[in-house]
Amino acid sequence: MTETEKATTMTTSDSMAVQKPTGVKHRALDSKRWVIVGLLSLGAIISYIDRSNISVALADAEFVKHFNLSDLQRGVLNSSFFWSYTALQIVMGWVVDRFGVKRPYTIGFTIWCIAAAATALTHSLSELISLRVILGAGEAVVVPASYRWIRYNFVEKERGLAMGLYMTGTKIASAVGAPVAAWLIVAYSWRDMFMILGLAGLLWLIPWLIMVKEPKSREERDAAPREGVSEKVPLGKTMASPVVLGSVIVNFCYMYFTFFNITWMPAYFVEARNLSLKEMGLFTFLSFGGMAIIATLAGWAADRLIAHGRDPVLVRKTFIIAGFAIASTELIGAQTSSVNAALFWAVASLSGLGLASANSLALTRGTLIPATAVGLVSGVQNCFGAAAGIVGPILTGWLKEISGGYVLPMQAIWIFMILGILSTALLLREKYAPMKIISSTARSAHHKA
């Protein structure tokens, strides 16, 4: 049998693994799949709320005074979640590949909700940091488990919408998390906020345990559709590609600004622009809400342009560069004396970054990467993206401490946005894609022969 016939046979066999029954049973299973996507999106919302509510607490004067926190300590506390979260990304990818999605996600979810609730009982900085590290370890399963479940339950023509719906949840979480946490602090206290949000999240486990069914054997788990199996690209060639380096840099820069907004923007609104906690929650909602809307529309618009014959790489890169360029306008807001102008640029800059969200994901985990290496490349990208959550809050806290304000930290953001633009333009190029490199090498060898 030829390699083409083998690939065709494998693709056909893999497609049968997700072939759905017909009739009433098919409609019921189809509806259930989409409900579980919604459940995964809700799980992401809960995880983002539990990881970001500390930033709202750090904008509360009583919380900061209780723990006698310096700006640098605030930065360390904001970043401590990502120490374990980053370290366990690839490990959790292996765990869900080996043991499936349901049990690892259940265990991780329970651990992080308990850690989130236990934050209400802390009395020292060391206790806070310890629980944030445990929280990060529990949440490390979220992304690999969600991506795997979607991949194993949706064929290619359905995955775009399924992934888009899931990713919308991560943006909505940042939009609603700050207002909800702020309201609970104002209405009750910071201790009650942590306890209520942590324990309430456990309710998610009820539909998860009832609805999600694991395959009965590992063989069934491994029988997923694998498009592009004919792309025979050595792993070393893939990882050495300039595209992978570029994707890592772009992802780090994107997440640096995102994590700044998650961890320090609430304090910026309160301390530098004199907003109340309620007002801070509103503008945080507008910033991340705008990002969610624009991310969805930008992904849809790029798809339409590509469907009409435009070059996929050029279209995606244009959206990514535009997103980074608009995000850099945050520096304008930092330097203005007008509160209204500062708030406008804070909302506009993060919303504008949404132009890069879906298109960066599509380009660096699809178009330019062979299907056989997407899992590992995604793991590497996730690690560096999460590393931005370690570097960003600490660097921001240190820069704020030595400068006495937010202008210098926001100048650092501008530098990362420019780096993201340059990396997109120079490294995310079709000729550097591993598939193209292998093809060019093969043609060169053939001509020499």
Side-chain angles (χ1 to χ4, degrees):
M1 182 181 291
T2 66
E3 289 298 319
T4 302
E5 289 171 333
K6 288 179 181 179
T8 302
T9 302
M10 185 177 293
T11 303
T12 303
S13 174
D14 292 336
S15 297
M16 290 173 64
V18 293
Q19 185 175 354
K20 300 182 287 293
T22 59
V24 176
K25 186 176 181 181
H26 156 60
R27 289 193 295 272
L29 289 175
D30 192 61
S31 298
K32 184 178 178 180
R33 289 184 308 137
W34 290 105
V35 170
I36 294 177
V37 168
L39 195 59
L40 288 171
S41 185
L42 179 59
I45 290 174
I46 295 171
S47 74
Y48 268 71
I49 289 176
D50 284 340
R51 77 176 65 172
S52 62
N53 55 19
I54 191 73
S55 63
V56 179
L58 286 169
D60 178 35
E62 180 185 341
F63 180 86
V64 174
K65 182 179 179 180
H66 178 83
F67 291 98
N68 193 28
L69 300 174
S70 68
D71 286 335
L72 182 58
Q73 288 173 326
R74 292 163 73 184
V76 171
L77 182 57
N78 262 323
S79 82
S80 56
F81 165 89
F82 295 98
W83 302 349
S84 55
Y85 182 84
T86 302
L88 293 175
Q89 279 297 297
I90 296 177
V91 174
M92 285 298 109
W94 176 85
V95 168
V96 296
D97 280 344
R98 178 64 179 82
F99 299 103
V101 169
K102 184 174 182 177
R103 284 177 293 172
Y105 204 145
T106 300
I107 294 170
F109 197 100
T110 303
I111 289 173
W112 99 55
C113 283
I114 292 174
T119 306
L121 307 177
T122 55
H123 295 281
S124 68
L125 178 60
S126 61
E127 292 174 349
L128 280 174
I129 291 176
S130 297
L131 285 173
R132 296 296 293 177
V133 172
I134 295 172
L135 182 71
E139 289 198 16
V141 74
V142 175
V143 171
S146 299
Y147 283 176
R148 180 179 172 91
W149 192 90
I150 291 173
R151 182 187 178 192
Y152 273 58
N153 288 274
F154 290 88
V155 295
E156 179 62 33
K157 65 182 181 180
E158 299 172 319
R159 284 186 200 141
L161 178 57
M163 189 62 71
L165 291 173
Y166 167 72
M167 290 300 295
T168 298
T170 66
K171 303 297 185 293
I172 292 175
S174 300
V176 303
V180 170
W183 178 81
L184 287 172
I185 292 175
V186 172
Y188 302 100
S189 69
W190 64 265
R191 292 188 185 276
D192 290 332
M193 181 271 289
F194 283 115
M195 184 65 70
I196 291 170
L197 292 179
L199 295 181
L202 291 171
L203 296 174
W204 180 92
L205 288 172
I206 298 173
W208 174 257
L209 292 173
I210 292 173
M211 296 187 67
V212 177
K213 305 297 181 185
E214 286 281 34
K216 296 180 180 180
S217 65
R218 188 179 179 186
E219 288 72 20
E220 291 180 19
R221 290 198 299 268
D222 292 339
R226 297 185 293 272
E227 293 79 13
V229 293
S230 60
E231 294 172 326
K232 304 294 185 180
V233 183
L235 185 59
K237 292 286 187 181
T238 297
M239 299 308 296
S241 165
V243 164
V244 174
L245 173 62
S247 71
V248 165
I249 296 173
V250 168
N251 197 43
F252 182 92
C253 294
Y254 174 93
M255 295 309 299
Y256 184 94
F257 186 41
T258 302
F259 285 130
F260 167 83
N261 282 276
I262 290 174
T263 58
W264 275 100
M265 188 167 66
Y268 165 72
F269 283 150
V270 172
E271 296 172 358
R273 298 305 174 183
N274 299 315
L275 300 187
S276 67
L277 282 179
K278 286 185 177 180
E279 291 171 328
M280 175 275 295
L282 172 62
F283 281 98
T284 302
F285 169 80
L286 292 175
S287 299
F288 282 100
M291 187 184 190
I293 294 170
I294 291 180
T296 302
L297 293 176
W300 174 84
D303 286 346
R304 298 284 64 76
L305 290 171
I306 294 169
H308 284 84
R310 301 295 179 89
D311 178 66
V313 175
L314 179 59
V315 169
R316 304 278 187 204
K317 286 176 63 172
T318 300
F319 275 91
I320 295 169
I321 291 172
F324 279 118
I326 295 175
S328 67
T329 61
E330 174 72 347
L331 187 58
I332 300 175
Q335 295 177 321
T336 182
S337 59
S338 168
V339 174
N340 290 334
L343 295 175
F344 170 80
W345 288 114
V347 174
S349 60
L350 185 57
S351 298
L353 187 62
L355 291 171
S357 300
N359 289 294
S360 176
L361 186 66
L363 186 64
T364 61
R365 299 188 188 184
T367 308
L368 295 178
I369 300 297
T372 51
V374 167
L376 179 61
V377 172
S378 295
V380 172
Q381 292 169 346
N382 284 342
C383 280
F384 278 88
I390 298 175
V391 175
I394 295 177
L395 180 59
T396 298
W398 179 70
L399 292 174
K400 180 178 182 296
E401 195 164 274
I402 64 173
S403 67
Y406 284 89
V407 174
L408 188 58
M410 290 183 181
Q411 288 175 338
I413 290 172
W414 182 82
I415 292 173
F416 282 111
M417 295 302 96
I418 297 302
L419 179 59
I421 290 174
L422 293 175
S423 298
T424 300
L426 301 178
L427 297 176
L428 300 185
R429 305 174 70 176
E430 188 173 9
K431 70 177 183 178
Y432 293 149
M435 301 84 77
K436 289 286 184 180
I437 293 174
I438 293 297
S439 177
S440 298
T441 303
R443 284 197 301 271
S444 177
H446 175 74
H447 289 315
K448 288 180 180 179

